[in-house]
């Protein structure tokens, strides 16, 4: 049989899991989070409700404990742009920053490597109303989001 002698994974291989903010966080309108294009989509009746999702925003400590029990060594997650910059630009939402700081701290406490995705299909609705990604001016708000993400992860 072809796979009788499977080579072992290197010790430094990161077994992990991944999510996107809008699929797991819930809390879609809490603590200053702005609206994203996902929030504004028409979702067919009877489909999963992203407004609560798996309630990771409120249950991240329990979730991370389960990740550790599973033996995960890495967790790739996205940062909701609208949780950090509610309208896509402008003032930073400190409660949003605090959530991600706490999440990263909890992951590190359990020996899980945080891997951050800055954008995962949840453009702020305010930016969509002014042309979305077709608006060439999107690079400045995206760079502001990048600086905010770096402020969350850069020192950890």
């Amino acid at each position: 049989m072809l796979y009788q002698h499977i080579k072992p994974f290197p010790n430094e291989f990161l077994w992990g899991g991944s999510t996107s903010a809008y699929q797991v966080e819930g809390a879609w309108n809490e603590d200053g989070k702005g609206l994203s294009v996902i929030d504004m989509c028409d979702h067919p009746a009877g489909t999963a409700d992203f407004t609560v999702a798996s309630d990771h925003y409120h249950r991240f400590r329990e979730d991370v404990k389960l990740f550790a029990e599973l033996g995960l060594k890495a967790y790739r997650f996205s940062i909701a742009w609208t949780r950090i910059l509610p309208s896509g630009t402008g003032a930073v939402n400190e409660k949003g920053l605090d959530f991600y700081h706490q999440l990263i701290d909890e992951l590190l406490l359990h020996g899980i490597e945080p891997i951050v995705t800055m954008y995962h299909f949840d453009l702020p609705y305010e930016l969509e109303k002014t042309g979305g990604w077709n608006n060439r001016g999107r690079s400045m708000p995206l760079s502001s989001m990048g600086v905010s993400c770096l402020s969350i992860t850069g020192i950890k």
Side-chain angles (χ1 to χ4, degrees):
M1 181 171 186
L2 183 61
Y3 297 107
Q4 277 185 329
H5 302 286
I6 297 175
K7 292 181 181 179
F9 283 90
N11 288 336
E12 63 275 4
F13 186 85
L14 294 176
W15 286 102
S18 66
T19 62
S20 68
Y22 76 88
Q23 292 171 327
V24 296
E25 283 182 11
W28 72 285
N29 64 352
E30 292 184 39
D31 290 340
K33 181 187 172 294
L35 295 174
S36 75
V37 293
I38 301 296
D39 298 325
M40 301 305 292
C41 287
D42 285 330
H43 297 277
T47 60
D49 186 350
F50 70 94
T51 62
V52 177
S54 59
D55 204 20
H56 188 58
Y57 186 78
H58 297 111
R59 299 175 182 267
F60 71 91
R61 285 184 178 86
E62 295 170 57
D63 294 343
V64 171
K65 186 178 176 190
L66 290 170
F67 298 164
E69 289 175 12
L70 281 169
L72 298 186
K73 298 299 179 202
Y75 176 50
R76 200 278 312 163
F77 60 96
S78 67
I79 291 179
W81 189 337
T82 54
R83 198 169 298 285
I84 304 301
L85 297 167
S87 62
T89 61
V92 171
N93 176 17
E94 293 298 326
K95 288 183 179 181
L97 284 178
D98 188 52
F99 166 69
Y100 293 110
H101 275 294
Q102 290 181 55
L103 172 59
I104 290 170
D105 288 345
E106 194 71 17
L107 290 164
L108 294 173
L109 180 69
H110 286 85
I112 299 171
E113 178 83 20
I115 301 172
V116 174
T117 298
M118 191 172 81
Y119 175 76
H120 190 95
F121 301 105
D122 56 352
L123 183 71
Y125 189 64
E126 291 301 313
L127 298 181
E128 178 65 18
K129 292 189 318 191
T130 60
W133 287 114
N134 289 325
N135 181 332
R136 294 185 65 93
R138 252 348 114 232
S139 61
M140 288 309 294
L142 183 61
S143 68
S144 295
M145 177 59 178
V147 169
S148 297
C149 288
L150 186 58
S151 78
I152 297 167
T153 62
I155 60 172
K156 300 182 186 222

